[in-house]
Amino acid sequence: MENSDNTESTEEKQAESKEEESEREENTKSKEKKQAESERKENRPNQKTSSFKANTYSQSRNIVNAFADPGLILALLGLLAFIYEYLGNNTLSLIVGIIFLFYSSIFIFKGQGFGITVAFCVWYIGYGGVITLPTSSNPLNILYTLAYTFGIPLLIGMVAHGLFGWLKKTETFTEGATNELVGLIPVLFFFLDLGLIPLLTTTYNLPLTSPIKELILFAPWWTFLGLFTIKKDNWIITFCKVLGVAYIALLLIGIPTTTYAEYKLTAPGTSQLLKAKAVVQQQLPKTENLAWSNLMCTFEDPSHFQSCVSQRQENSEIAYTCEKINGLTKGTSTYDDCIKKEQDKKKKAITIGGTTDPTIKQATEIKLETEDETKTLTAILRNNSDTSALKYPIQLKIKNPHKEKITVSITCEIEKGTEKIKGTISPKEAETGTGSFQDMTDTEINKNIVCIPNAVTLSEGTYTITYTANILNLVSTSRLTRAFIGQKNSTEKTELIKKIKSTYFASNNAISLSPNDPVRINFALGEPPSDPIIESEDNVLLRVDAEKTGEGELTKIISYSVDLNPIPTSNCFQGGETDYSSSKNTFISQTYPLASCFVNLPNELKMPTEEYVIKEFTAKLTYNYKIQKKMGVTVTIA
Amino acid sequence: MKPKIIIVILSLIVACFFLTSCGTDTTSTSTNYKQGTGNVILTTLSGYPSDTIYPNSEFKIVVKVDNQGAYKLNKGIIKILGFDEKYISLTESKKSITSLEGNTYLDGKSSTNPNGEFTFIEFGALAKNLFPGSESYSAPYFIKAEYEYQTDFSQTVCINTNLYEVQDSGCKVTTKTSFSGQGSPLAITEMEELISPGALASVDFRLTLKNAGKGKVKQVTLNKATLSNQPMKCIFNDNPGQKTNSYEFKDKEEVVILCKQNLDSQKASYSSVIYLDLSFNYILEESKTLTLKK
């Protein structure tokens, strides 16, 4: 019993001593804390400095580390590629796109979705990725096409990844297949960067507005992907992300809702995408960056935001024409005159526009095409005077739906730097525009042409072969509808105008309609000419313009005529030759004023016997047009 | 007791059944066609013109004129207008409306003709060439009918010149009454009655005449206005310098007719009938489109 008591007392003592020890420890700790606190209070400034240093160090380290981040690398490289392209170089777009596609798939998404990327590349680049679907006017079918286009590589990639994970026993088939979907992100960016939307506008005629086109074309898509996938975080990266979002937001401000026109459905191929991108980039007028205009107008004139943006855009386009195209110096009187002239032209252009006739599906088309636009050509010559290896054929393709008599003469030139060599075209009749190249009336014309350099010596390097086709006697027609209401009292007039406008001019047909030819004739009649309703007391003005809408150059207007029957003919209803070959007309959309005169209405239109009379008038333009095709050839001498 | 009650009930039901079955149909005789806004309906006969017209082909436009109002359609003319002659030319653009029997009128709905009368007017047309390269042409046009029509208004009113007589057990004056129409597009939609008592007692009526149809009223003439078969003096309100019995509608959709009748004073209240006979020119227009296709 005692023993047990003793044992108990010993245990109690031990417990007590432990408690004392812990108390002591606590006291010591609290003393140390207090001491540390007082020390901290005393040494506060020094410590602040050291913590700042530590933060700066860690932030700097983050920035440095961020450079090793695949997202940042993509962002920077994407930005460089964007600037390179923005300066007008499209040649590397496809290669750069593919590099970025694989880079983002491997390094950013850690190989997830790699199967899709590979399958997509094999299908898209290897097999052309072209699927033709039936024509439809339903916008939903565009989504269907996209789903169908992506569907095949997607399915292959998902199955491959699922099987691989399942066999390796790292994940289930479903997990693997689902993870593969990540591969869609780089594919989507690949399409956006390469110009999917431009293709939709040129091939499918989606009437996308200029802001949307700019958003798609002039947005550094790979930079955005890189920025938003950077893992490290610091203020510079956050700032860049904010800038990226702000850029898109600024471009998006004021985008109106668009309606969808009829379009054909064909999945885009690489060459199509690149071409479409180049076409739309050329078509866009050289205006101030829309994001910048939007930003400036937010502060300058927020109450009239839209008109402010339009004005800035128009002013910058006019300034570009005078400064860059006409080579005038800002501040000079000639420059000011040019600005005035261009502004007048703009005003006139607004009043008498023309548009594509929706009922005419086949328009005149002229193309010079090589077999494969994406291939880089290489010529291995036996010696420097052997020019036979440089004979690369080109195809002249003309769609002539109205079976007009067309004559084509083709020339070629080979150049390297300042060295320019004249070429001879084969067949010879293609050069002179004779024989089978004269008065061609087929609806579809396809001709092979070869350029043979005339020079005796060639050196190694890259030569550019330029084919120039002069197409003579092209014809474009247009039509214009007007309603003649005679003399009515104000009440009758208001009601009648309302009725006529809603019945006959509800869509875009108050302006002249013509096929989507490279050059068209626009005309307008009325007071003002844009008004489709003509009253007996109106001073009726006729305005006629030619408008170039294609990529080539309008070299000459041979003749134009306007048929306003039963209005008595006037001198300005027809015109003769006007040569434009020396003028600079590099813009796709360019207007050439042709005539402007007042007309006398005959009684049957001045005082119609019926309540009103509907009349359609026509105009015809005969012109010469020039297109060029450049192809690069790398010459090596064996 | 109970079976007897059941038999009685059953025989009552059977009797009711027979009574109702043998009753004459009174609906046909009691239908009042002169109500609502009866219109003339213009349509094209299905397939004339067909949905698609081919260039350089002749075709017909057949217009059905269906008088769904309660009055006779007189002196009707039908026109096709709005075609561009470059694309479509008509052999005739204007024709008279004649009934299938060859009459120059179309009867309205009545107890003898509860469906109204209709007719077909045929126009020959020629489709010409499309614009070069064009695959189709959409040709809007209007079918326009102009005709004479009528509105009769007849309503029982209470006349009481002794408004302060409490003991009068006759009729009661309703100051404002609304109407749905008289079976014509031009309808009297509201009537206000105002009695001026005293030695020179009189009654004033304000009748709102409204175009309730889809077309336009050109000119309306008040042919007759009576109260208890006695002629009543009526004028169109806001019609300065014009004939008192006719009115140009122009851009307006309604007009007020003011009628006045002197009354014998100190007479007990009595019911009377106000009657107005109006005729007018009406223009009806239907918008159509036909498509020329390659």
Side-chain angles (χ1 to χ4, degrees):
Chain A
M1 279 292 277
E2 274 181 12
N3 279 346
S4 67
D5 284 341
N6 284 340
T7 326
E8 275 178 4
S9 64
T10 334
E11 280 173 4
E12 275 172 10
K13 276 175 189 171
Q14 277 176 348
E16 275 174 14
S17 65
K18 270 182 186 172
E19 275 175 18
E20 279 171 11
E21 265 176 31
S22 67
E23 269 179 26
R24 232 174 284 140
E25 271 174 21
E26 273 176 21
N27 286 335
T28 329
K29 273 180 188 172
S30 65
K31 271 178 190 172
E32 277 172 4
K33 261 187 188 174
K34 278 176 187 170
Q35 207 176 334
E37 264 178 26
S38 63
E39 272 175 18
R40 222 175 289 146
K41 275 176 191 169
E42 281 169 17
N43 302 323
R44 198 167 279 163
N46 291 336
Q47 218 160 359
K48 224 180 183 178
T49 321
S50 62
S51 74
F52 174 74
K53 273 180 186 169
N55 279 339
T56 318
Y57 170 72
S58 70
Q59 278 197 356
S60 317
R61 204 174 53 184
N62 276 346
I63 293 167
V64 174
N65 285 345
F67 278 100
D69 192 306
L72 186 69
I73 292 169
L74 180 67
L76 290 172
L77 290 176
L79 193 64
L80 285 175
F82 172 73
I83 293 166
Y84 181 71
E85 258 190 61
Y86 197 83
L87 295 172
N89 309 299
N90 277 317
T91 44
L92 295 175
S93 296
L94 182 65
I95 301 161
V96 169
I98 293 167
I99 292 169
F100 286 160
L101 175 73
F102 278 100
Y103 175 86
S104 51
S105 180
I106 298 166
F107 296 106
I108 292 177
F109 298 106
K110 307 286 174 209
Q112 278 190 346
F114 187 68
I116 282 186
T117 313
V118 174
F120 170 77
C121 275
V122 171
W123 168 76
Y124 188 72
I125 294 153
Y127 293 91
V130 177
I131 301 160
T132 310
L133 293 172
T135 308
S136 165
S137 59
N138 185 354
L140 281 175
N141 283 329
I142 272 256
L143 293 174
Y144 175 71
T145 317
L146 294 178
Y148 193 64
T149 309
F150 289 115
I152 297 165
L154 181 72
L155 205 70
I156 298 168
M158 283 175 76
V159 172
H161 193 146
L163 281 174
F164 185 71
W166 178 65
L167 288 171
K168 267 188 91 182
K169 293 180 180 173
T170 49
E171 54 193 355
T172 64
F173 178 83
T174 328
E175 278 171 356
T178 320
N179 288 340
E180 190 62 28
L181 286 173
V182 175
L184 278 180
I185 301 168
V187 169
L188 172 71
F189 274 79
F190 175 81
F191 262 95
L192 281 169
D193 182 60
L194 226 60
L196 175 69
I197 304 296
L199 182 99
L200 296 180
T201 59
T202 52
T203 310
Y204 303 141
N205 295 326
L206 274 179
L208 294 184
T209 53
S210 188
I212 295 178
K213 283 180 192 171
E214 288 216 14
L215 172 69
I216 305 297
L217 279 170
F218 300 127
W221 290 107
W222 291 113
T223 308
F224 289 152
L225 179 64
L227 261 180
F228 289 99
T229 49
I230 292 175
K231 299 237 167 61
K232 302 281 183 327
D233 202 13
N234 60 54
W235 67 270
I236 296 176
I237 289 161
T238 314
F239 179 69
C240 288
K241 282 180 185 176
V242 171
L243 271 185
V245 173
Y247 183 80
I248 296 175
L250 277 171
L251 282 170
L252 279 169
I253 291 172
I255 288 181
T257 353
T258 55
T259 50
Y260 289 89
E262 272 192 287
Y263 43 82
K264 274 186 171 182
L265 288 174
T266 311
T270 48
S271 58
Q272 272 179 293
L273 280 173
L274 286 169
K275 255 196 229 170
K277 187 171 185 175
V279 167
V280 177
Q281 272 176 341
Q282 264 188 300
Q283 275 176 336
L284 279 174
K286 301 288 179 197
T287 55
E288 183 178 74
N289 184 297
L290 189 70
W292 181 250
S293 296
N294 285 340
L295 183 70
M296 292 311 287
C297 287
T298 313
F299 297 107
E300 272 179 11
D301 195 0
S303 53
H304 303 98
F305 181 78
Q306 274 309 332
S307 57
C308 166
V309 172
S310 316
Q311 197 58 54
R312 282 190 74 95
Q313 293 272 302
E314 192 182 304
N315 289 347
S316 58
E317 192 188 342
I318 289 171
Y320 180 87
T321 309
C322 294
E323 215 175 322
K324 303 285 177 193
I325 295 177
N326 296 345
L328 301 170
T329 317
K330 216 174 178 179
T332 59
S333 59
T334 45
Y335 176 86
D336 293 341
D337 286 347
C338 171
I339 295 279
K340 265 187 185 173
K341 270 185 192 170
E342 290 297 321
Q343 278 171 342
D344 284 351
K345 261 193 210 172
K346 281 266 168 199
K347 271 180 200 163
K348 282 176 187 170
I350 290 163
T351 50
I352 86 145
T355 191
T356 303
D357 191 332
T359 69
I360 301 177
K361 304 283 178 200
Q362 286 182 319
T364 306
E365 269 183 49
I366 308 140
K367 279 179 195 169
L368 281 170
E369 273 185 7
T370 50
E371 254 179 36
D372 191 346
E373 306 273 319
T374 53
K375 265 188 191 170
T376 314
L377 303 171
T378 312
I380 303 163
L381 313 182
R382 280 171 293 183
N383 53 58
N384 60 4
S385 60
D386 170 30
T387 54
S388 59
L390 264 180
K391 289 177 189 171
Y392 286 104
I394 198 161
Q395 237 191 0
L396 170 72
K397 289 184 174 179
I398 300 177
K399 279 186 185 169
N400 180 21
H402 311 309
K403 297 183 177 178
E404 301 291 346
K405 281 184 184 173
I406 296 171
T407 300
V408 181
S409 67
I410 301 162
T411 56
C412 72
E413 197 177 56
I414 297 153
E415 62 179 296
K416 191 178 90 175
T418 52
E419 186 188 349
K420 283 186 180 177
I421 306 155
K422 276 268 173 201
T424 307
I425 290 286
S426 177
K428 192 72 190 160
E429 54 193 25
E431 198 163 26
T432 51
T434 53
S436 65
F437 284 79
Q438 190 177 19
D439 294 342
M440 297 179 283
T441 52
D442 291 344
T443 47
E444 296 242 350
I445 300 162
N446 290 308
K447 300 270 185 191
N448 283 316
I449 298 128
V450 178
C451 176
I452 307 150
N454 294 339
V456 280
T457 50
L458 289 169
S459 56
E460 284 195 335
T462 305
Y463 282 83
T464 305
I465 308 174
T466 309
Y467 285 90
T468 306
N470 288 293
I471 306 103
L472 316 177
N473 306 323
L474 283 168
V475 173
S476 184
T477 49
S478 67
R479 56 195 177 121
L480 176 81
T481 308
R482 287 291 178 259
F484 296 85
I485 62 165
Q487 201 169 23
K488 300 276 183 299
N489 67 42
S490 64
T491 320
E492 277 178 333
K493 197 166 82 180
T494 314
E495 271 186 27
L496 187 61
I497 289 174
K498 196 178 158 191
K499 183 175 91 178
I500 291 173
K501 280 194 173 169
S502 64
T503 310
Y504 296 92
F505 304 104
S507 51
N508 214 4
N509 49 1
I511 53 175
S512 65
L513 303 171
S514 53
N516 195 16
D517 292 339
V519 178
R520 60 184 173 209
I521 182 164
N522 296 332
F523 68 115
L525 184 77
E527 189 187 43
S530 56
D531 186 1
I533 314 287
I534 298 173
E535 296 169 50
S536 63
E537 298 305 314
D538 281 353
N539 292 315
V540 183
L541 181 69
L542 168 73
R543 287 256 346 253
V544 191
D545 282 358
E547 187 192 7
K548 181 175 79 77
T549 55
E551 288 173 67
E553 281 180 46
L554 170 68
T555 50
K556 187 190 263 184
I557 286 177
I558 298 167
S559 67
Y560 78 87
S561 63
V562 186
D563 180 5
L564 300 184
N565 184 43
I567 296 172
T569 319
S570 159
N571 281 340
C572 82
F573 287 16
Q574 58 274 314
E577 281 191 7
T578 317
D579 199 341
Y580 295 102
S581 54
S582 55
S583 67
K584 293 168 183 174
N585 49 28
T586 46
F587 277 131
I588 282 186
S589 183
Q590 204 154 343
T591 309
Y592 304 82
L594 295 179
S596 183
C597 64
F598 285 99
V599 300
N600 291 319
L601 294 184
N603 258 347
E604 59 181 288
L605 298 180
K606 207 167 196 171
M607 301 297 268
T609 47
E610 293 296 338
E611 194 181 1
Y612 62 95
V613 169
I614 296 290
K615 279 269 169 211
E616 187 185 277
F617 304 109
T618 53
K620 186 179 172 184
L621 178 78
T622 310
Y623 62 98
N624 293 349
Y625 193 65
K626 186 169 92 180
I627 55 163
Q628 279 194 328
K629 178 79 188 174
K630 287 180 193 283
M631 53 200 280
V633 182
T634 308
V635 169
T636 48
I637 296 165
Chain B
M1 192 62 183
K2 274 183 184 172
K4 272 186 185 176
I5 293 167
I6 292 166
I7 288 163
V8 170
I9 291 168
L10 276 175
S11 31
L12 276 172
I13 292 168
V14 172
C16 283
F17 174 74
F18 279 110
L19 278 171
T20 50
S21 307
C22 296
T24 50
D25 182 12
T26 52
T27 49
S28 60
T29 50
S30 64
T31 303
N32 179 14
Y33 291 100
K34 292 187 177 178
Q35 62 180 355
T37 52
N39 280 303
V40 170
I41 297 163
L42 295 176
T43 49
T44 49
L45 188 66
S46 175
Y48 296 92
S50 62
D51 293 339
T52 307
I53 308 285
Y54 296 100
N56 297 314
S57 66
E58 287 183 358
F59 66 99
K60 280 190 169 77
I61 298 171
V62 180
V63 181
K64 184 184 177 187
V65 186
D66 189 0
N67 186 1
Q68 288 294 301
Y71 307 90
K72 205 178 257 185
L73 180 155
N74 265 316
K75 295 179 187 170
I77 288 170
I78 199 131
K79 282 184 197 172
I80 303 278
L81 67 147
F83 281 129
D84 183 348
E85 279 197 357
K86 193 176 174 182
Y87 291 101
I88 289 157
S89 67
L90 297 162
T91 46
E92 265 181 294
S93 63
K94 193 162 108 178
K95 281 190 170 183
S96 298
I97 299 174
T98 48
S99 71
L100 295 172
E101 284 85 34
N103 299 322
T104 55
Y105 59 85
L106 287 182
D107 275 323
K109 281 181 177 179
S110 65
S111 52
T112 53
N113 187 9
N115 294 321
E117 192 179 7
F118 62 84
T119 189
F120 296 104
I121 315 288
E122 197 180 288
F123 292 88
L126 173 70
K128 296 178 187 173
N129 274 326
L130 289 170
F131 184 72
S134 188
E135 288 176 11
S136 64
Y137 172 75
S138 176
Y141 66 100
F142 289 91
I143 302 168
K144 191 173 180 179
E146 282 186 53
Y147 51 88
E148 275 185 18
Y149 216 67
Q150 196 184 333
T151 300
D152 288 350
F153 175 74
S154 175
Q155 179 69 20
T156 306
V157 289
C158 178
I159 307 289
N160 183 7
T161 52
N162 202 0
L163 290 174
Y164 314 114
E165 182 56 67
V166 188
Q167 297 300 320
D168 193 343
S169 57
C171 61
K172 208 172 182 184
V173 174
T174 311
T175 51
K176 203 173 191 175
T177 319
S178 294
F179 308 97
S180 67
Q182 294 79 40
S184 163
L186 188 65
I188 288 173
T189 54
E190 204 174 83
M191 183 181 74
E192 284 177 70
E193 185 186 344
L194 186 75
I195 292 172
S196 309
L200 296 167
S202 64
V203 60
D204 285 274
F205 293 100
R206 278 178 66 92
L207 298 125
T208 306
L209 187 63
K210 192 176 176 180
N211 178 13
K214 287 201 291 176
K216 291 263 162 218
V217 182
K218 230 175 164 183
Q219 190 181 48
V220 59
T221 308
L222 179 62
N223 301 314
K224 194 177 176 186
T226 57
L227 180 70
S228 307
N229 282 325
Q230 293 299 310
M232 186 167 52
K233 200 183 172 188
C234 294
I235 55 158
F236 287 95
N237 194 25
D238 192 21
N239 194 22
Q242 301 292 317
K243 277 184 178 177
T244 48
N245 69 332
S246 68
Y247 180 80
E248 283 280 348
F249 254 71
K250 289 180 185 166
D251 56 326
K252 286 185 179 171
E253 287 296 294
E254 65 176 50
V255 66
V256 172
I257 302 170
L258 303 170
C259 296
K260 195 180 181 82
Q261 179 79 296
N262 292 327
L263 302 168
D264 293 335
S265 56
Q266 303 300 316
K267 201 176 170 184
S269 67
Y270 60 97
S271 289
S272 180
V273 174
I274 177 173
Y275 175 78
L276 271 81
D277 170 12
L278 297 146
S279 64
F280 54 91
N281 295 99
Y282 204 69
I283 302 167
L284 200 60
E285 212 168 49
E286 276 297 323
S287 168
K288 301 271 172 193
T289 302
L290 62 81
T291 309
L292 257 69
K293 267 189 184 166
K294 237 181 189 177

